[in-house]
Amino acid sequence: MITIDNLYKRFGALEVLKGVSLSIEKGKTAVIIGPSGSGKTTLLRCLNLLEMPDKGTISLGNKTLNVTAGTRLKQAEIVSFRKQTGMVFQSYNLFPHLTAVENVMEGQVIVLKRSKDDARKKALSLLEKVGLRDRADMYPFQLSGGQQQRVGIARAMAIDPEVLLFDEPTSALDPELVGEVLKVMKDLANEGRTMVVVTHEMKFANEAADQIIFMDGGVVVEQGTPNEVFNATRNPRTLQFLNKVSER
Amino acid sequence: MFGEERTERIIGILSESFFPILMAGLQYTIPLTLITFTLGLILAFFTAAARISGFMPLVLLTRFYVWIFRGTPLLVQLFIIFYGLPSVGVTLSPFAAAVIVFTLNKGAYSSEIIRAAILSISKGQWEAAYSIGMTKSQALKRIVLPQAVRVSLPPLGNSFISLVKDTSLAATITVTELFQKGQQIAAVTYEPLWLYIEVAFFYLIFSTVLSYFQARLEIRYGRGIAK
Ligand SMILES: Nc1ncnc2c1ncn2[C@@H]1O[C@H](COP(=O)(O)OP(=O)(O)OP(=O)(O)O)[C@@H](O)[C@H]1O
Ligand SMILES: [Mg+2]
């Protein structure tokens, strides 16, 4: 489903991704962990081209993108690649001038050109799925952080992406609201959605992930099943990181 | 303060001038305001869009335009277009000249308001729009502009109200708008104090009505914002 080969990205003098390679199978949930600044967000944003990589290959769904120094993509190419992904942001980024259901309809109506009726039906069923059917007509400012983030998940799913990308979806939430969002994500993982999740929630990673990807210093240091990485790793960098996290 | 006879005379002049001044307002001041505000807004929108497009020739052109019209007095702009252009063969009616100058002037100022409003919308909103597959122009139109409109309504409303008052400058290029009419009557009745107070009264009424509509619009576009 997703294959990344030798991906590079730099911001000015700072090289953030230094040859990242990995692959994620269809229907699996991959959780990316790693210290702050290791390039997790950047990698995720390269996957939907919010960040244009400098070099490397990304295959996603039925599209393959081969980027080299001279690559200049047209907007239409970027959009058609990006449409295969849905993204959930750390700070939700709901559209404040639209109600919950309108937030979930927007991409369907404007991008996929669905009729408003169809879009509304689908949006309501997605809101049902994230437990917010009764909040459909509320504006984001009327919702709690956890509810906003669940609308964010519904919005991302509404365009029927092949892959859902999550960048620390619970980091901005009050502790008591984290659970409701993780539960929705777990349900999606169990349903066989393909998901790539950057998170510091190790319990979620352990329970929901099929694959753990540990990044450090702009490369993938280790990847494997949760058991392989959390319980059986011999890699000193992984061990050091896991120790630090468990101290918290 | 005055004798009875003087008081009566003033009341007579004020009531006789009431309709001529009102008519001047309805015929010139209000249309001039509405037309130039509408055209100015359209111009401002395209100017702002051009400036954030990142397309260099457009960016430079619009920056130059805004620089000129914000950096020179409105009165001088009026004189150049109305009294100056005939010497190169372009003669405009007073009203047309006023519409052109006010539109260009308002367009320059309002484009800065709109541009600032667009820039005030967080990067996260653009990215969320892109993440659901929108193009740049779809994101601008559907997500960023509706929010920017809300941000820019108060300053645009204020600039609209100041436009009502600025139209009095059209008197200097012989448009017989409200102020010009008052001037004419004052000149023949020798009661400048009372006539100009009457003129001020009309401006006050016009701008008060506009403030009312501005407030209504702000409520309408306040959708989705905590009160
Ligand atoms: N747009 C940008 N311009 C310049 N530097 C950037 C940009 N985005 C990220 N960086 C830098 O790249 C490095 C990696 O950032 P990234 O956000 O990918 O890390 P991360 O692994 O997601 O960290 P965290 O766990 O703190 O979110 C950081 O040093 C960051 O400051
Ligand atoms: Mg990050």
Side-chain angles (χ1 to χ4, degrees):
Chain A
M1 170 64 51
I2 304 175
T3 311
I4 298 177
D5 192 34
N6 228 3
L7 200 71
Y8 286 81
K9 174 69 185 177
R10 60 163 62 241
F11 296 107
L14 182 71
E15 187 154 55
V16 177
L17 300 182
K18 304 171 187 169
V20 170
S21 301
L22 56 84
S23 74
I24 297 164
E25 281 174 47
K26 190 176 169 72
K28 303 288 186 194
T29 296
V31 168
I32 304 178
I33 58 173
S36 181
S38 56
K40 306 180 297 294
T41 296
T42 306
L43 176 63
L44 209 61
R45 290 164 58 87
C46 281
L47 269 177
N48 69 354
L49 305 181
L50 279 182
E51 227 54 90
M52 195 38 95
D54 299 327
K55 205 168 71 176
T57 308
I58 307 177
S59 297
L60 207 159
N62 55 16
K63 293 200 162 59
T64 297
L65 206 69
N66 203 337
V67 182
T68 55
T71 306
R72 274 240 149 269
L73 291 180
K74 292 199 194 72
Q75 177 170 252
E77 294 173 297
I78 293 176
V79 166
S80 84
F81 192 89
R82 185 180 288 148
K83 272 200 285 198
Q84 302 185 101
T85 68
M87 186 171 237
V88 177
F89 297 87
Q90 180 174 351
S91 48
Y92 336 131
N93 295 348
L94 292 188
F95 306 131
H97 60 301
L98 303 178
T99 61
V101 69
E102 288 168 344
N103 263 277
V104 185
M105 289 166 63
E106 189 71 7
Q108 302 184 62
V109 174
I110 302 303
V111 177
L112 302 182
K113 314 285 182 212
R114 286 190 187 135
S115 75
K116 281 207 166 163
D117 280 347
D118 291 350
R120 175 172 293 272
K121 246 180 242 156
K122 166 130 192 161
L124 290 175
S125 84
L126 285 169
L127 286 176
E128 174 96 59
K129 196 178 188 100
V130 299
L132 291 172
R133 174 66 186 79
D134 57 331
R135 302 291 152 97
D137 294 319
M138 295 202 166
Y139 286 98
F141 82 91
Q142 297 169 309
L143 301 172
S144 73
Q147 292 169 338
Q148 289 190 52
Q149 191 58 297
R150 286 186 280 151
V151 175
I153 294 172
R155 177 179 70 182
M157 290 195 298
I159 55 167
D160 297 325
E162 302 279 337
V163 182
L164 284 174
L165 309 173
F166 297 78
D167 189 12
E168 302 202 26
T170 58
S171 295
L173 292 174
D174 291 338
E176 73 270 20
L177 302 177
V178 169
E180 62 187 64
V181 173
L182 291 182
K183 179 172 177 309
V184 167
M185 290 168 61
K186 246 182 235 172
D187 290 347
L188 294 176
N190 290 337
E191 266 174 32
R193 300 252 172 192
T194 312
M195 314 197 333
V196 185
V197 184
V198 174
T199 185
H200 294 296
E201 296 287 338
M202 291 302 152
K203 187 160 167 287
F204 170 83
N206 205 0
E207 291 166 7
D210 300 294
Q211 179 182 0
I212 304 290
I213 297 165
F214 172 60
M215 280 184 76
D216 194 5
V219 293
V220 173
V221 173
E222 185 173 7
Q223 54 178 320
T225 64
N227 189 38
E228 283 165 356
V229 176
F230 289 141
N231 304 325
T233 183
R234 300 251 174 87
N235 188 307
R237 279 160 84 184
T238 313
L239 281 170
Q240 192 194 6
F241 174 73
L242 290 175
N243 273 333
K244 230 186 233 152
V245 176
S246 63
E247 274 167 26
R248 259 191 277 151
Chain B
M1 190 161 45
F2 315 122
E4 201 172 303
E5 199 180 319
R6 172 88 196 281
T7 310
E8 254 172 45
R9 183 178 127 79
I10 290 169
I11 291 173
I13 290 171
L14 289 184
S15 53
E16 262 174 50
S17 61
F18 188 89
F19 279 102
I21 294 181
L22 175 65
M23 284 314 289
L26 294 180
Q27 239 177 359
Y28 292 105
T29 301
I30 297 287
L32 192 56
T33 305
L34 293 179
I35 293 171
T36 54
F37 191 73
T38 310
L39 295 179
L41 258 191
I42 294 168
L43 179 63
F45 170 74
F46 284 106
T47 305
R51 276 197 71 175
I52 62 166
S53 71
F55 182 58
M56 255 310 141
L58 276 181
V59 172
L60 291 177
L61 183 75
T62 49
R63 272 171 64 171
F64 179 74
Y65 153 61
V66 170
W67 177 62
I68 295 289
F69 277 86
R70 293 212 315 169
T72 57
L74 184 52
L75 190 57
V76 175
Q77 295 164 15
L78 278 169
F79 273 49
I80 290 175
I81 301 291
F82 185 68
Y83 295 115
L85 283 188
S87 69
V88 292
V90 181
T91 306
L92 294 162
S93 75
F95 190 76
V99 166
I100 289 169
V101 171
F102 285 125
T103 297
L104 289 170
N105 189 280
K106 270 296 137 183
Y109 276 96
S110 308
S111 77
E112 288 294 284
I113 293 175
I114 293 172
R115 191 174 74 100
I118 291 174
L119 294 180
S120 78
I121 306 305
S122 78
K123 197 162 149 265
Q125 289 293 309
W126 286 97
E127 292 187 343
Y130 292 149
S131 81
I132 55 173
M134 287 190 180
T135 60
K136 186 169 182 176
S137 62
Q138 285 171 334
L140 179 66
K141 186 167 144 223
R142 300 284 313 179
I143 304 302
V144 175
L145 271 186
Q147 297 179 58
V149 165
R150 197 194 68 229
V151 177
S152 61
L153 269 183
L156 282 179
N158 292 340
S159 110
F160 190 27
I161 288 162
S162 75
L163 175 61
V164 183
K165 299 175 283 180
D166 290 345
T167 56
S168 60
L169 285 175
T172 62
I173 58 166
T174 75
V175 177
T176 44
E177 46 66 73
L178 212 164
F179 177 63
Q180 170 89 322
K181 198 76 197 172
Q183 248 180 335
Q184 286 171 359
I185 300 173
V188 294
T189 57
Y190 300 105
E191 289 291 352
L193 175 63
W194 299 103
L195 273 158
Y196 289 133
I197 287 177
E198 187 177 23
V199 164
F201 167 80
F202 278 111
Y203 280 113
L204 194 58
I205 296 298
F206 288 162
S207 47
T208 304
V209 170
L210 291 173
S211 302
Y212 169 77
F213 285 115
Q214 179 197 1
R216 291 275 301 265
L217 263 183
E218 279 176 30
I219 290 170
R220 191 163 143 227
Y221 277 91
R223 224 160 84 95
I225 298 309
K227 302 285 166 346

